[in-house]
Amino acid sequence: MNEKIINTAIGRSAQWHHKISDAGFGQKPFDGFSIYKGQAIYWEAKYLPKPASFNFNRLENHQMKALLDIEKLNTNNSFAPLLLIAVNFGRGDVRVFYYKDMQEIHERKLAKRSILKKEFEISTNYTTVKKGLIDFDKILNEVQ
C-alpha cells in the first residue's frame, strides 16, 4: 500500500475523477478532483504506512493555499475540498481519515500542531478501504 494506491482508490470511488499527474514542471494544487453524486470533490491525499503522527510539513504551502481557496469559493456547499490521510493499521485495515475544515487544518499547520498518533487511534472521522474503494457517502454526509 502506498499513496499512489490510495489516490487510485479515491478516484475509483467516484463516478468521475482526474488524478493530477505528479510528473512535469510546476506545483500541483492538490492530488485530484472527482464528481460523486453531482458533488465536486477536490482532494489532497497523504499516506502513513503505520499509525504515527502526521506532521503538517508534509502538506505543502501551495497545496494548503489551493484547498483554502476552494473552501472560500464554496459559498453554497456545492463542492468539497478534502484532506484525506490514509493510515495502514495492518492486516487489511487501512483507514482514510477525512478533514473538511481547511481553515482548521491551516491553523494547525501554522501552529505546527501535528495530528497525533493517539488522535488517529480514537478518531471516528474515517472510512476504510474495502475492495479498493472508499465510502464517499460517509465522508460527504458526515458533519465534522
Side-chain angles (χ1 to χ4, degrees):
M1 185 75 46
N2 58 35
E3 195 168 301
K4 180 179 179 181
I5 293 170
I6 294 303
N7 275 312
T8 299
I10 293 164
R12 288 185 53 230
S13 300
Q15 282 92 18
W16 180 89
H17 73 279
H18 178 75
K19 165 67 174 86
I20 299 171
S21 174
D22 291 329
F25 298 100
Q27 296 176 331
K28 310 303 184 265
F30 40 79
D31 282 324
F33 45 98
S34 303
I35 303 292
Y36 182 77
K37 294 186 177 177
Q39 185 164 9
I41 302 163
Y42 302 83
W43 85 84
E44 175 61 31
K46 300 297 182 189
Y47 175 73
L48 296 173
K50 64 182 182 182
S53 294
F54 177 80
N55 188 319
F56 280 106
N57 287 341
R58 291 191 53 197
L59 181 61
E60 300 290 336
N61 289 333
H62 68 276
Q63 294 168 331
M64 185 76 257
K65 181 182 180 326
L67 294 169
L68 276 169
D69 288 348
I70 291 166
E71 183 175 72
K72 289 174 188 170
L73 292 169
N74 189 20
T75 57
N76 61 359
N77 290 327
S78 59
F79 47 88
L82 296 174
L83 172 61
L84 302 170
I85 303 174
V87 181
N88 190 340
F89 277 79
R91 297 202 154 256
D93 183 8
V94 178
R95 303 175 191 178
V96 178
F97 293 85
Y98 47 90
Y99 300 91
K100 299 176 186 180
D101 186 342
M102 292 306 118
Q103 188 58 46
E104 179 183 334
I105 294 300
H106 181 62
E107 289 168 10
R108 283 188 79 155
K109 180 173 174 52
L110 290 175
K112 300 182 188 305
R113 287 187 298 127
S114 299
I115 299 173
L116 302 176
K117 176 183 174 183
K118 66 182 177 183
E119 288 180 80
F120 287 125
E121 293 172 337
I122 64 172
S123 180
T124 60
N125 66 310
Y126 70 88
T127 183
T128 56
V129 178
K130 293 181 182 165
K131 297 182 180 180
L133 301 171
I134 63 169
D135 184 357
F136 268 127
D137 284 323
K138 178 176 172 56
I139 293 171
L140 297 175
N141 292 327
E142 259 186 38
V143 176
Q144 193 174 348

